[in-house]
PDB file of all heavy atoms in Angstrom:
ATOM      1  N   PHE A  34      29.325   1.066  30.438  1.00  0.00           N
ATOM      2  CA  PHE A  34      29.368   2.410  31.002  1.00  0.00           C
ATOM      3  C   PHE A  34      28.421   3.312  30.196  1.00  0.00           C
ATOM      4  O   PHE A  34      28.553   4.528  30.212  1.00  0.00           O
ATOM      5  CB  PHE A  34      30.804   2.970  30.954  1.00  0.00           C
ATOM      6  CG  PHE A  34      31.808   2.145  31.731  1.00  0.00           C
ATOM      7  CD1 PHE A  34      33.001   1.740  31.139  1.00  0.00           C
ATOM      8  CD2 PHE A  34      31.556   1.783  33.052  1.00  0.00           C
ATOM      9  CE1 PHE A  34      33.933   0.987  31.857  1.00  0.00           C
ATOM     10  CE2 PHE A  34      32.486   1.029  33.771  1.00  0.00           C
ATOM     11  CZ  PHE A  34      33.667   0.629  33.177  1.00  0.00           C
ATOM     12  N   ALA A  35      27.492   2.669  29.488  1.00  0.00           N
ATOM     13  CA  ALA A  35      26.661   3.405  28.533  1.00  0.00           C
ATOM     14  C   ALA A  35      25.368   3.932  29.150  1.00  0.00           C
ATOM     15  O   ALA A  35      24.971   5.073  28.926  1.00  0.00           O
ATOM     16  CB  ALA A  35      26.336   2.510  27.332  1.00  0.00           C
ATOM     17  N   GLY A  36      24.675   3.088  29.887  1.00  0.00           N
ATOM     18  CA  GLY A  36      23.314   3.431  30.292  1.00  0.00           C
ATOM     19  C   GLY A  36      23.246   4.606  31.241  1.00  0.00           C
ATOM     20  O   GLY A  36      24.030   4.703  32.178  1.00  0.00           O
ATOM     21  N   GLY A  37      22.286   5.474  31.018  1.00  0.00           N
ATOM     22  CA  GLY A  37      22.023   6.544  31.975  1.00  0.00           C
ATOM     23  C   GLY A  37      20.992   6.071  32.975  1.00  0.00           C
ATOM     24  O   GLY A  37      19.967   6.697  33.148  1.00  0.00           O
ATOM     25  N   ILE A  38      21.288   4.940  33.596  1.00  0.00           N
ATOM     26  CA  ILE A  38      20.270   4.283  34.426  1.00  0.00           C
ATOM     27  C   ILE A  38      20.776   4.109  35.844  1.00  0.00           C
ATOM     28  O   ILE A  38      21.983   4.010  36.074  1.00  0.00           O
ATOM     29  CB  ILE A  38      19.865   2.913  33.832  1.00  0.00           C
ATOM     30  CG1 ILE A  38      21.053   1.931  33.858  1.00  0.00           C
ATOM     31  CG2 ILE A  38      19.365   3.068  32.403  1.00  0.00           C
ATOM     32  CD1 ILE A  38      20.690   0.539  33.374  1.00  0.00           C
ATOM     33  N   PRO A  39      19.855   4.065  36.806  1.00  0.00           N
ATOM     34  CA  PRO A  39      20.265   3.809  38.180  1.00  0.00           C
ATOM     35  C   PRO A  39      20.584   2.325  38.372  1.00  0.00           C
ATOM     36  O   PRO A  39      20.237   1.497  37.527  1.00  0.00           O
ATOM     37  CB  PRO A  39      19.043   4.221  38.994  1.00  0.00           C
ATOM     38  CG  PRO A  39      17.888   4.050  38.072  1.00  0.00           C
ATOM     39  CD  PRO A  39      18.411   4.298  36.688  1.00  0.00           C
ATOM     40  N   ASP A  40      21.238   2.004  39.475  1.00  0.00           N
ATOM     41  CA  ASP A  40      21.583   0.608  39.776  1.00  0.00           C
ATOM     42  C   ASP A  40      20.362  -0.082  40.377  1.00  0.00           C
ATOM     43  O   ASP A  40      19.908   0.281  41.459  1.00  0.00           O
ATOM     44  CB  ASP A  40      22.755   0.586  40.763  1.00  0.00           C
ATOM     45  CG  ASP A  40      23.245  -0.840  41.017  1.00  0.00           C
ATOM     46  OD1 ASP A  40      22.555  -1.800  40.594  1.00  0.00           O
ATOM     47  OD2 ASP A  40      24.313  -0.980  41.644  1.00  0.00           O
ATOM     48  N   GLN A  41      19.860  -1.102  39.677  1.00  0.00           N
ATOM     49  CA  GLN A  41      18.634  -1.733  40.158  1.00  0.00           C
ATOM     50  C   GLN A  41      18.844  -2.496  41.469  1.00  0.00           C
ATOM     51  O   GLN A  41      17.881  -2.743  42.194  1.00  0.00           O
ATOM     52  CB  GLN A  41      18.007  -2.631  39.090  1.00  0.00           C
ATOM     53  CG  GLN A  41      18.823  -3.842  38.684  1.00  0.00           C
ATOM     54  CD  GLN A  41      18.387  -4.379  37.312  1.00  0.00           C
ATOM     55  OE1 GLN A  41      18.093  -3.596  36.408  1.00  0.00           O
ATOM     56  NE2 GLN A  41      18.315  -5.689  37.173  1.00  0.00           N
ATOM     57  N   ALA A  42      20.111  -2.832  41.782  1.00  0.00           N
ATOM     58  CA  ALA A  42      20.379  -3.484  43.071  1.00  0.00           C
ATOM     59  C   ALA A  42      20.028  -2.555  44.230  1.00  0.00           C
ATOM     60  O   ALA A  42      19.819  -3.011  45.356  1.00  0.00           O
ATOM     61  CB  ALA A  42      21.846  -3.898  43.149  1.00  0.00           C
ATOM     62  N   LEU A  43      19.967  -1.249  43.939  1.00  0.00           N
ATOM     63  CA  LEU A  43      19.673  -0.276  45.000  1.00  0.00           C
ATOM     64  C   LEU A  43      18.183   0.069  45.088  1.00  0.00           C
ATOM     65  O   LEU A  43      17.787   0.850  45.948  1.00  0.00           O
ATOM     66  CB  LEU A  43      20.477   1.008  44.755  1.00  0.00           C
ATOM     67  CG  LEU A  43      22.007   0.851  44.733  1.00  0.00           C
ATOM     68  CD1 LEU A  43      22.667   2.149  44.291  1.00  0.00           C
ATOM     69  CD2 LEU A  43      22.518   0.428  46.105  1.00  0.00           C
ATOM     70  N   PHE A  44      17.363  -0.497  44.215  1.00  0.00           N
ATOM     71  CA  PHE A  44      15.935  -0.156  44.258  1.00  0.00           C
ATOM     72  C   PHE A  44      15.350  -0.526  45.621  1.00  0.00           C
ATOM     73  O   PHE A  44      15.614  -1.627  46.137  1.00  0.00           O
ATOM     74  CB  PHE A  44      15.160  -0.904  43.171  1.00  0.00           C
ATOM     75  CG  PHE A  44      15.424  -0.435  41.770  1.00  0.00           C
ATOM     76  CD1 PHE A  44      15.068  -1.237  40.683  1.00  0.00           C
ATOM     77  CD2 PHE A  44      16.007   0.797  41.518  1.00  0.00           C
ATOM     78  CE1 PHE A  44      15.298  -0.809  39.379  1.00  0.00           C
ATOM     79  CE2 PHE A  44      16.249   1.231  40.215  1.00  0.00           C
ATOM     80  CZ  PHE A  44      15.893   0.417  39.146  1.00  0.00           C
ATOM     81  N   PRO A  45      14.531   0.336  46.205  1.00  0.00           N
ATOM     82  CA  PRO A  45      13.977   0.080  47.540  1.00  0.00           C
ATOM     83  C   PRO A  45      12.773  -0.864  47.468  1.00  0.00           C
ATOM     84  O   PRO A  45      11.626  -0.451  47.687  1.00  0.00           O
ATOM     85  CB  PRO A  45      13.574   1.485  48.020  1.00  0.00           C
ATOM     86  CG  PRO A  45      13.252   2.231  46.764  1.00  0.00           C
ATOM     87  CD  PRO A  45      14.152   1.668  45.695  1.00  0.00           C
ATOM     88  N   ILE A  46      13.045  -2.146  47.173  1.00  0.00           N
ATOM     89  CA  ILE A  46      11.915  -3.045  46.922  1.00  0.00           C
ATOM     90  C   ILE A  46      11.184  -3.432  48.209  1.00  0.00           C
ATOM     91  O   ILE A  46      10.001  -3.755  48.162  1.00  0.00           O
ATOM     92  CB  ILE A  46      12.314  -4.312  46.113  1.00  0.00           C
ATOM     93  CG1 ILE A  46      13.360  -5.153  46.840  1.00  0.00           C
ATOM     94  CG2 ILE A  46      12.797  -3.945  44.726  1.00  0.00           C
ATOM     95  CD1 ILE A  46      13.615  -6.486  46.128  1.00  0.00           C
ATOM     96  N   GLU A  47      11.870  -3.374  49.360  1.00  0.00           N
ATOM     97  CA  GLU A  47      11.137  -3.650  50.602  1.00  0.00           C
ATOM     98  C   GLU A  47      10.090  -2.544  50.816  1.00  0.00           C
ATOM     99  O   GLU A  47       8.936  -2.829  51.142  1.00  0.00           O
ATOM    100  CB  GLU A  47      12.079  -3.728  51.813  1.00  0.00           C
ATOM    101  CG  GLU A  47      13.008  -4.940  51.807  1.00  0.00           C
ATOM    102  CD  GLU A  47      14.179  -4.783  50.844  1.00  0.00           C
ATOM    103  OE1 GLU A  47      14.459  -3.630  50.416  1.00  0.00           O
ATOM    104  OE2 GLU A  47      14.807  -5.795  50.486  1.00  0.00           O
ATOM    105  N   ALA A  48      10.507  -1.311  50.647  1.00  0.00           N
ATOM    106  CA  ALA A  48       9.567  -0.200  50.827  1.00  0.00           C
ATOM    107  C   ALA A  48       8.440  -0.270  49.796  1.00  0.00           C
ATOM    108  O   ALA A  48       7.280   0.047  50.097  1.00  0.00           O
ATOM    109  CB  ALA A  48      10.313   1.134  50.716  1.00  0.00           C
ATOM    110  N   LEU A  49       8.782  -0.684  48.582  1.00  0.00           N
ATOM    111  CA  LEU A  49       7.762  -0.865  47.550  1.00  0.00           C
ATOM    112  C   LEU A  49       6.725  -1.881  48.010  1.00  0.00           C
ATOM    113  O   LEU A  49       5.511  -1.674  47.880  1.00  0.00           O
ATOM    114  CB  LEU A  49       8.433  -1.340  46.258  1.00  0.00           C
ATOM    115  CG  LEU A  49       7.509  -1.874  45.154  1.00  0.00           C
ATOM    116  CD1 LEU A  49       6.767  -0.736  44.479  1.00  0.00           C
ATOM    117  CD2 LEU A  49       8.291  -2.683  44.117  1.00  0.00           C
ATOM    118  N   GLN A  50       7.206  -2.993  48.543  1.00  0.00           N
ATOM    119  CA  GLN A  50       6.280  -4.043  48.979  1.00  0.00           C
ATOM    120  C   GLN A  50       5.453  -3.578  50.176  1.00  0.00           C
ATOM    121  O   GLN A  50       4.261  -3.892  50.263  1.00  0.00           O
ATOM    122  CB  GLN A  50       7.074  -5.321  49.279  1.00  0.00           C
ATOM    123  CG  GLN A  50       7.658  -5.900  47.982  1.00  0.00           C
ATOM    124  CD  GLN A  50       8.621  -7.059  48.190  1.00  0.00           C
ATOM    125  OE1 GLN A  50       8.780  -7.553  49.296  1.00  0.00           O
ATOM    126  NE2 GLN A  50       9.243  -7.498  47.111  1.00  0.00           N
ATOM    127  N   ASP A  51       6.069  -2.803  51.079  1.00  0.00           N
ATOM    128  CA  ASP A  51       5.297  -2.241  52.194  1.00  0.00           C
ATOM    129  C   ASP A  51       4.172  -1.346  51.661  1.00  0.00           C
ATOM    130  O   ASP A  51       3.044  -1.376  52.160  1.00  0.00           O
ATOM    131  CB  ASP A  51       6.210  -1.421  53.117  1.00  0.00           C
ATOM    132  CG  ASP A  51       7.178  -2.305  53.903  1.00  0.00           C
ATOM    133  OD1 ASP A  51       6.968  -3.540  53.923  1.00  0.00           O
ATOM    134  OD2 ASP A  51       8.141  -1.751  54.474  1.00  0.00           O
TER     135      ASP A  51
END
Side-chain angles (χ1 to χ4, degrees):
Chain A
F34 300 129
I38 65 176
D40 185 349
Q41 65 200 39
L43 300 172
F44 289 163
I46 61 173
E47 291 77 17
L49 167 74
Q50 292 172 7
D51 290 347

